[in-house]
Amino acid sequence: MEKLSIQDASRRLNISQRDVREYIRKGELKAERDPDSEHGRWLVIMPEEGWQDHFKAYLDELDASITRWWWVNEHKTGSVHYLERTGIENVEPDYLCGLSSENLWPSAGHSRNDRCLECLMRATEQGLPLFEEDLTD
Ligand SMILES: [Zn+2]
């Protein structure tokens, strides 16, 4: 098993160091602390060949096509909330307003008033896509 520093892994996988850290945080890349390092730096356990293309294509597709607004209960009451991240890491979804839910339900056809204000504010602040096309009004 090949282990590389974050810097070397970033070069090898052709993604930014920031992305490498982000993927480690999300569990998409495995990493461990270097036992020989004083500062406890991370070593990235290099994934199999093809990982990068496969995974990046997947994320791009997901980001582009899937709304981040979701109902947090099956009765579709309360507000729709904005998922902080898309991707396969969302086993327990976290929303921008800080809410978590164990599951999520599609929000297609919700109305503007259904949107959680806190989520909306933060999404706007961060310049995230708002998926206006999902709205019925
Ligand atoms: Zn919210």
Side-chain angles (χ1 to χ4, degrees):
M1 211 166 21
E2 194 180 9
K3 297 173 190 174
L4 296 178
S5 70
I6 287 180
Q7 195 177 13
D8 291 342
S10 130
R11 264 191 226 123
R12 177 77 64 84
L13 295 169
N14 198 26
I15 53 180
S16 71
Q17 292 187 39
R18 191 172 143 258
D19 283 341
V20 173
R21 288 200 182 82
E22 181 70 6
Y23 290 157
I24 293 170
R25 198 173 63 76
K26 291 178 182 172
E28 310 297 352
L29 278 173
K30 294 209 181 348
E32 57 186 37
R33 295 278 186 186
D34 181 353
D36 301 325
S37 156
E38 266 179 57
H39 310 292
R41 69 169 184 167
W42 288 96
L43 288 177
V44 183
I45 299 167
M46 295 310 289
E48 286 168 27
E49 206 141 331
W51 172 88
Q52 180 206 352
D53 293 343
H54 172 80
F55 185 63
K56 205 170 176 319
Y58 173 78
L59 279 191
D60 287 349
E61 202 177 303
L62 209 67
D63 272 340
S65 66
I66 295 185
T67 182
R68 297 220 211 159
W69 291 103
W70 296 89
W71 290 107
V72 296
N73 66 69
E74 61 184 320
H75 308 295
K76 304 187 175 176
T77 54
S79 301
V80 293
H81 295 269
Y82 197 97
L83 260 195
E84 196 164 2
R85 303 179 292 271
T86 51
I88 48 182
E89 78 281 6
N90 285 311
V91 181
E92 285 194 15
D94 287 324
Y95 300 93
L96 282 180
C97 62
L99 188 83
S100 297
S101 73
E102 280 178 24
N103 213 334
L104 39 77
W105 288 265
S107 71
H110 65 280
S111 80
R112 206 172 286 274
N113 287 337
D114 291 329
R115 292 188 163 180
C116 165
L117 267 185
E118 186 71 29
C119 280
L120 185 59
M121 266 164 40
R122 294 194 186 187
T124 308
E125 266 170 25
Q126 295 176 28
L128 298 168
L130 294 177
F131 301 94
E132 299 287 339
E133 66 274 16
D134 292 346
L135 291 169
T136 51
D137 52 8

